[in-house]
Amino acid sequence: MGPQVHRSNTRAALCIEILQVGKFTFRADFDSGNLNSVEPGAAPNEFMLRTNRDCGGTANEKATRTWFYFGVHGHTVGELLTMTLKVTYRREGDDFQLRFSHRFESEEEALFAFAIPFSYAQNCELLDHLDALMQPYTVMPPPYELDPAKDPSTAPQPPGVPSAASRFTPRTPSPAMSASGGTGPVASRRVPAASIARGTAAGVGSPAAAVARRNSGISSDTGAPALGAAAGGGGGGGASFSGGAGSSAPSYTSDEGPSRLYYRRQLLTRSLEGRRIEVITITDCAGAAGAGGGELEPPLPGVFEHDPGPPAATFSPEHKKVFFVSSRVHPGETPATHMFNGLLAFLLRRTDPRAAALRRRFVFKLVPIVNADGVAVGNYRTDTLGQNLNRYYLGTPDEQTQPAVFAIKALLMHYAQQGLLQYYIDLHAHANKKGVFIFGNTLEDGEAHLQSLIYSRLVALNNPVFDFVGCNFTEKNMSRADKDGASKEGAGRVALYRETGLTHLYTIEANYNTSARVNTVAPASGDHAGRASPPCNRRFPPKFTASVLQGVGRAIAVAALDMEGANPWTRLPHSEHRSLEGVRSWISSVLRAASETRAAHLPPMSDAAVEAMRAAAAPATASGRSSASGRLARASGAGIATAATGP
């Protein structure tokens, strides 16, 4: 008897929903599922599988057939299954095969995915969970509570902490929220969530919500790290939001006054198929604009038109700037979500003075999934019209065919025109190049370009798997055409630079599997409890779990604090550079070195950019140059070193 196939009318025409092959049932009838065909192999319990192309079976079909996510059941305990998948990356001719075996440890269904999955439905469940926890912080407090006299930052400075960073006085911990991941294999026995609707109160506590929180690293049950795995969830390194009811960790956030946390979840727009494109605002109440902090963001055409709630509060550009982060414009790049979730969990911590300092200095605007339709239907790179949405940011995107990009671009340009936008970071994954690295712009201003290198170096100093030398700041990487002919001129970071000239506009890419090197991550100053840098004597690159990627998300925010000289637990004094000025001096010394030395220690960049940065760095003192040159030789030893887990 041949394979029995059941297909869905609501998904791509060729996407298999349920397929019976002998005693085994293969299914992909859930959010982000993708499986095209299953055929018996030459040996018993061996199968040949093929993934569905992006928009397969439609007029918008693309050659890419990379992302897979499916479940298998019908096995017995201890039975071995061998599967071979043919995968196409971007176009026919780039084919390769993945072959793996799995021995079932129970009779429950096992899930298999190209990378650690995190679906659109799981994201909705996670945000519903956060809504319930953060509800008290969704509105501004009464004007009298915003009196600066109530601000704990006016308390005496703790000894040994930089005055620019020590703004918050410890107080009694709040109810628990924690973030962590658990190690897990490629296969998981947990059934994925299928709902795409915003959850109800009952859904917040559902098993699907628990799966979402495990893969995101977020838990509200205790102050201890969450345990267990969901479809290959990450391992180790719990990061606390608020310390827990029984925790001795102090809180650096007051429920009164300007340091009170401010959190808003808004419906930015809807996708072509009606799914939610969300934006999350996280900051504190300091610097709120208007009388008593009552000024709200103005209406923008095509932005927030479907959101039922009031606009978010506005903040004075003299007090704080906007730090914008987005992910999953390419739907199959799930490492982007795990970096994003690490940042999200970190910003909501109440027992970490770095999170409090970040909320004081920035208004974080976070878009967790740009391409919600592509994620939901199991595409790898495009939306359901076959569009690579990261090629439509230049000029004015089409509101009808690219509603998410249209709304994001309108919001970003509004912030830029108001002098508010300081950071734009778009999170991605990379299939070919190992490690985590930045794609940055070639900046005409030498000092601005130097600042972008300093930021990238600071991320590496705060994270063991970030590859500073692997970053790319070339003009070619701003304009190169894809294999399908679309130019990177339409990518978010490039388009924004062409139209605003801002400095900190980045794409951050993470490999799906591992890094090429491990950085030395120094101990954190002022962190006497050791919470910022738990012991880790790793000498070889780790496999990328959700937890490892979440650590990258934390590092991109902590690096911004170091840029401001405002990190209360900075690692700089114990690093090879000793200070922020030391980082600048070291980069300046390498810029003056021979091209071979530059290639070994700095990211690729054009000769014109090197000359511009040399001119900008010329005022450095002779002693600073000498000190930095002395540290240059030691920097080459950073490839294999003892690495801390958290930023």
Side-chain angles (χ1 to χ4, degrees):
M1 180 172 149
Q4 298 180 19
V5 178
H6 301 273
R7 304 180 188 272
S8 169
N9 294 325
T10 61
R11 299 166 65 85
L14 295 179
C15 186
I16 297 297
E17 294 296 285
I18 302 175
L19 179 67
Q20 188 75 34
V21 185
K23 69 175 185 177
F24 296 101
T25 300
F26 295 79
R27 75 180 187 99
D29 59 337
F30 46 78
D31 195 317
S32 294
N34 186 340
L35 184 62
N36 176 266
S37 65
V38 181
E39 299 294 337
N45 284 15
E46 182 176 319
F47 297 94
M48 304 293 294
L49 295 83
R50 184 179 289 264
T51 62
N52 189 51
R53 292 188 175 99
D54 282 9
C55 305
T58 73
N60 303 312
E61 181 177 307
K62 300 296 179 182
T64 306
R65 54 161 91 243
T66 304
W67 172 257
F68 62 87
Y69 188 19
F70 60 89
V72 179
H73 65 272
H75 52 272
T76 59
V77 176
E79 192 167 10
L80 184 69
L81 197 67
T82 299
M83 290 172 279
T84 301
L85 290 102
K86 183 179 179 182
V87 175
T88 301
Y89 182 67
R90 296 195 185 181
R91 65 180 182 181
E92 295 291 352
D94 291 341
D95 298 347
F96 59 94
Q97 288 189 339
L98 299 175
R99 181 179 175 85
F100 57 90
S101 297
H102 177 74
R103 190 175 300 277
F104 296 96
E105 299 177 352
S106 82
E107 294 183 355
E108 295 181 17
E109 179 180 51
L111 298 173
F112 301 87
F114 179 73
I116 305 169
F118 203 88
S119 69
Y120 170 79
Q122 286 177 306
N123 184 71
C124 290
E125 294 272 11
L126 172 63
L127 296 185
D128 288 345
H129 171 69
L130 286 180
D131 277 357
L133 291 168
M134 305 306 299
Q135 195 279 330
Y137 304 102
T138 59
V139 295
M140 280 286 169
Y144 68 85
E145 287 194 11
L146 295 180
D147 184 346
K150 289 180 174 280
D151 190 352
S153 67
T154 60
Q157 310 287 348
V161 178
S163 59
S166 56
R167 293 178 174 269
F168 305 95
T169 303
R171 63 189 299 277
T172 304
S174 299
M177 291 174 70
S178 66
S180 77
T183 56
V186 170
S188 168
R189 294 186 296 273
R190 298 198 177 268
V191 179
S195 169
I196 66 169
R198 185 166 179 170
T200 62
V204 173
S206 69
V211 171
R213 293 196 295 274
R214 284 192 187 93
N215 252 8
S216 70
I218 294 172
S219 170
S220 64
D221 300 329
T222 67
L227 302 176
S240 173
F241 269 127
S242 63
S247 172
S248 61
S251 174
Y252 291 83
T253 299
S254 173
D255 284 337
E256 297 180 353
S259 69
R260 175 186 171 92
L261 191 148
Y262 180 74
Y263 170 95
R264 282 296 307 278
R265 173 191 181 187
Q266 292 175 279
L267 179 57
L268 181 64
T269 189
R270 288 198 177 273
S271 69
L272 288 171
E273 298 187 357
R275 295 180 177 90
R276 297 176 61 87
I277 308 300
E278 316 258 16
V279 63
I280 302 162
T281 300
I282 299 175
T283 185
D284 70 10
C285 295
E295 186 175 327
L296 302 178
E297 288 189 334
L300 299 172
V303 182
F304 300 122
E305 291 181 351
H306 304 284
D307 188 61
T314 60
F315 295 84
S316 167
E318 290 78 25
H319 285 87
K320 52 180 67 174
K321 302 291 187 180
V322 167
F323 195 124
F324 185 96
V325 182
S326 59
S327 74
R328 300 292 288 279
V329 67
H330 294 149
E333 296 180 0
T334 60
T337 284
H338 301 300
M339 291 189 287
F340 182 96
N341 287 341
L343 171 65
L344 174 61
F346 180 66
L347 293 175
L348 293 174
R349 285 186 186 175
R350 297 170 57 83
T351 61
D352 194 316
R354 300 168 299 174
L358 284 163
R359 295 192 295 265
R360 176 54 51 95
R361 285 160 182 81
F362 298 104
V363 181
F364 287 88
K365 297 288 183 176
L366 312 175
V367 178
I369 297 180
V370 176
N371 188 349
D373 292 342
V375 170
V377 303
N379 284 357
Y380 179 67
R381 193 164 175 83
T382 73
D383 69 356
T384 50
L385 290 182
Q387 300 176 116
N388 176 355
L389 292 179
N390 200 33
R391 296 296 180 265
Y392 291 94
Y393 280 93
L394 192 63
T396 303
D398 190 317
E399 185 179 2
Q400 301 304 312
T401 58
Q402 301 125 22
V405 176
F406 175 89
I408 291 169
K409 178 71 181 295
L411 195 63
L412 288 168
M413 293 306 295
H414 168 72
Y415 292 144
Q417 291 160 6
Q418 298 298 312
L420 286 165
L421 185 62
Q422 184 170 349
Y423 284 86
Y424 166 84
I425 294 179
D426 192 28
L427 301 173
H428 287 254
H430 206 283
N432 300 327
K433 187 174 177 179
K434 290 183 177 180
V436 182
F437 44 90
I438 279 177
F439 286 163
N441 297 316
T442 296
L443 308 183
E444 295 180 3
D445 181 84
E447 176 59 30
H449 202 133
L450 186 57
Q451 290 296 313
S452 66
L453 285 186
I454 291 171
Y455 173 75
S456 303
R457 181 63 180 165
L458 290 171
V459 179
L461 291 175
N462 281 285
N463 187 265
V465 299
F466 185 86
D467 187 354
F468 174 61
V469 178
C471 299
N472 190 316
F473 291 88
T474 63
E475 179 69 34
K476 181 180 179 181
N477 202 39
M478 298 173 68
S479 56
R480 184 177 60 202
D482 294 335
K483 294 177 182 179
D484 59 5
S487 171
K488 284 193 172 183
E489 290 281 353
R493 65 172 172 96
V494 181
L496 284 170
Y497 176 66
R498 301 295 191 210
E499 297 180 37
T500 69
L502 293 172
T503 300
H504 297 294
L505 308 171
Y506 306 112
T507 298
I508 295 185
E509 303 268 358
N511 186 259
Y512 289 93
N513 185 43
T514 190
S515 58
R517 66 188 75 198
V518 180
N519 301 322
T520 297
V521 178
S525 302
D527 174 29
H528 304 299
R531 288 182 291 145
S533 52
C536 179
N537 296 316
R538 188 181 297 278
R539 292 184 55 85
F540 300 100
K543 181 177 177 60
F544 282 1
T545 63
S547 180
V548 170
L549 294 166
Q550 289 161 15
V552 177
R554 297 191 293 269
I556 65 176
V558 172
L561 269 187
D562 281 326
M563 287 289 291
E564 301 276 323
N567 186 352
W569 288 352
T570 181
R571 300 180 189 277
L572 283 171
H574 298 296
S575 74
E576 62 187 282
H577 304 301
R578 304 301 179 191
S579 67
L580 182 60
E581 182 57 36
V583 176
R584 180 188 178 94
S585 297
W586 177 80
I587 293 175
S588 300
S589 71
V590 183
L591 287 169
R592 289 188 295 273
S595 59
E596 295 82 2
T597 302
R598 292 201 308 272
H601 297 286
L602 294 180
M605 63 194 85
S606 69
D607 290 340
V610 170
E611 291 302 320
M613 285 189 287
R614 283 174 174 171
T621 64
S623 61
R625 289 195 296 266
S626 175
S627 174
S629 299
R631 291 191 294 272
L632 175 58
R634 295 194 295 274
S636 62
I640 299 177
T642 299
T645 301

